[in-house]
Amino acid sequence: MLSLAWPWLLLLLPLPLFIRNKQQQQQSGGELNMPGIAQTSTSTLKVKPGVNRWFYLLMWAALVLACARPQWLGEPIDIPTKGRDLMVAVDLSGSMQIEDMAIGGRTLDRFSVVQQVVSDFIDQRKGDRLGLILFADHAYLQTPLTADRRSVAQYMREAQIGLVGKQTAIGEAIGLAVKRFEQVKDSNRVLVLLTDGSNNAGNIEPIQAAEIAAERGVTIYTIGVGAEVMEQRGFFGSRRVNPSSDLDESTLQDIANITHGQYFRARDPQELQQIYEEINKLQPVSRDEQSYRPKSELFYWPLTLALLISMGLALSQAGVLSLPAMNRKSWGRKSS
């Protein structure tokens, strides 16, 4: 979109007409009287006959337009502002393959449901910087903190069970998140940790890692995933079992309490979705939506036009170049 930075300068466009009218009242015999100089035959400035006066007006209009700073405004672009840094840690241990989650009458494994819900959650966090940690035998940084939430969501969708082992290193996942948060300043540090088991791997205990996180100002929201009842078929019929017997809810609760966060229990996809909606309320996107429109200065176009006209007029006055005369009489003549 074309715009002017200082449009009020366009009020100067009719200035030559006012000056001309004033001069016409003072002129005699077609002479241009210069203020402060005696009106003699040697002190008058005469415009060379045949030079088109409209060139002077066009040059003036181009100069005024250049002073008004014409600009081309591009499409609005969102800019990052100071806000929240949120890390998501997802369990990839072998137990995430248990099929105890039902969607629309169809039973799915835990990880397939987690992939879908967590990816949607990441897509909704517009304005935050997001990172992704995957953990099993050890914790690995899949995506560092970034404003490119589409890439984070894509990496979440591409993750696979067994990618980093079969066990569960909860403490190491917390420690890695704290380490990454140390590289940023002046932000709200939030970790969302999702698991379906208990800590049985890694080089740091979850409670110890949680205490360090609390000292560093990291808030942790823990989520325990898995149904409490599942029908298991055998040679002697089916029986009801608890597929989440390995889930260490007590430790997850302690982690949340130590870091002033909250523990949630997700027994089905609906509860998992509600949990992330609740986290969105507890940790709303704190960055105000700000955007800017890139500006391209265009003043040099009318300025260049004025320069070319002035050069043409100078050459015309010197007799080197002949500019066409377009006075009112010439307009009425028919071309032969």
Side-chain angles (χ1 to χ4, degrees):
M1 182 179 70
L2 189 64
S3 68
L4 297 175
W6 302 324
W8 52 270
L9 286 176
L10 296 181
L11 296 174
L12 297 176
L13 283 174
L15 184 60
L17 299 180
F18 291 113
I19 295 177
R20 182 183 179 188
N21 291 335
K22 185 176 180 180
Q23 288 178 344
Q24 285 178 347
Q25 296 176 2
Q26 298 176 353
Q27 282 179 351
S28 61
E31 297 178 349
L32 178 62
N33 298 326
M34 304 299 293
I37 302 178
Q39 298 181 12
T40 63
S41 60
T42 59
S43 63
T44 58
L45 176 64
K46 297 182 180 180
V47 177
K48 184 178 180 180
V51 176
N52 187 356
R53 296 179 181 272
W54 289 101
F55 282 108
Y56 289 98
L57 296 176
L58 180 58
M59 181 176 64
W60 172 256
L63 288 173
V64 172
L65 181 59
C67 291
R69 286 183 59 194
Q71 300 172 333
W72 180 263
L73 299 181
E75 294 298 322
I77 299 176
D78 293 334
I79 57 176
T81 57
K82 179 181 175 181
R84 180 175 289 102
D85 291 313
L86 190 148
M87 193 76 72
V88 180
V90 179
D91 187 354
L92 290 187
S93 61
S95 57
M96 291 292 286
Q97 292 179 314
I98 297 177
E99 297 182 355
D100 60 352
M101 295 282 190
I103 298 180
R106 187 163 59 100
T107 302
L108 298 175
D109 62 89
R110 296 171 178 175
F111 185 66
S112 296
V113 175
V114 168
Q115 273 185 310
Q116 179 179 341
V117 177
V118 173
S119 298
D120 293 341
F121 171 76
I122 292 172
D123 284 333
Q124 296 171 10
R125 301 299 301 188
K126 183 178 181 181
D128 284 350
R129 291 201 307 172
L130 294 153
L132 178 63
I133 292 175
L134 302 177
F135 65 95
D137 291 354
H138 296 283
Y140 297 90
L141 182 67
Q142 184 71 8
T143 307
L145 289 168
T146 176
D148 185 6
R149 49 185 212 286
R150 290 185 179 179
S151 295
V152 181
Q154 183 63 30
Y155 278 113
M156 181 67 235
R157 296 186 185 99
E158 293 175 353
Q160 297 179 1
I161 297 293
L163 186 65
V164 288
K166 296 292 185 180
Q167 295 182 311
T168 309
I170 296 175
E172 194 169 305
I174 297 173
L176 179 57
V178 173
K179 182 178 179 181
R180 302 303 300 188
F181 283 136
E182 285 296 300
Q183 300 179 8
V184 296
K185 297 180 179 179
D186 300 328
S187 67
N188 294 330
R189 304 171 179 183
V190 179
L191 170 64
V192 178
L193 187 143
L194 186 147
T195 182
D196 68 342
S198 58
N199 187 79
N200 55 15
N203 51 20
I204 185 172
E205 291 297 319
I207 300 301
Q208 182 184 358
E211 291 173 348
I212 297 174
E215 294 175 0
R216 303 294 193 275
V218 179
T219 302
I220 303 178
Y221 294 94
T222 55
I223 303 175
V225 181
E228 292 182 343
V229 178
M230 183 179 71
E231 294 287 338
Q232 189 177 62
R233 296 180 180 179
F235 291 105
F236 303 101
S238 61
R239 60 191 182 97
R240 298 168 67 88
V241 298
N242 180 10
S244 299
S245 58
D246 292 334
L247 179 62
D248 189 355
E249 293 191 73
S250 176
T251 298
L252 295 178
Q253 182 71 64
D254 290 341
I255 293 172
N257 292 338
I258 292 171
T259 59
H260 307 288
Q262 192 169 337
Y263 168 66
F264 300 94
R265 184 73 171 88
R267 301 170 184 83
D268 53 53
Q270 292 73 27
E271 282 189 342
L272 184 59
Q273 180 65 46
Q274 292 172 1
I275 289 169
Y276 279 104
E277 292 176 359
E278 184 64 23
I279 293 176
N280 278 330
K281 295 178 183 178
L282 294 172
Q283 295 289 340
V285 175
S286 61
R287 303 185 183 201
D288 297 329
E289 287 191 19
Q290 296 185 15
S291 63
Y292 79 100
R293 302 186 70 169
K295 298 178 182 178
S296 299
E297 297 288 347
L298 303 176
F299 68 89
Y300 50 85
W301 289 108
L303 191 60
T304 302
L305 176 62
L307 178 62
L308 293 175
I309 294 175
S310 66
M311 293 174 59
L313 291 172
L315 294 175
S316 176
Q317 291 291 336
V320 178
L321 179 66
S322 177
L323 293 177
M326 297 178 61
N327 51 35
R328 293 184 179 180
K329 291 182 180 179
S330 65
W331 294 348
R333 297 174 184 174
K334 295 183 179 178
S335 59
S336 57

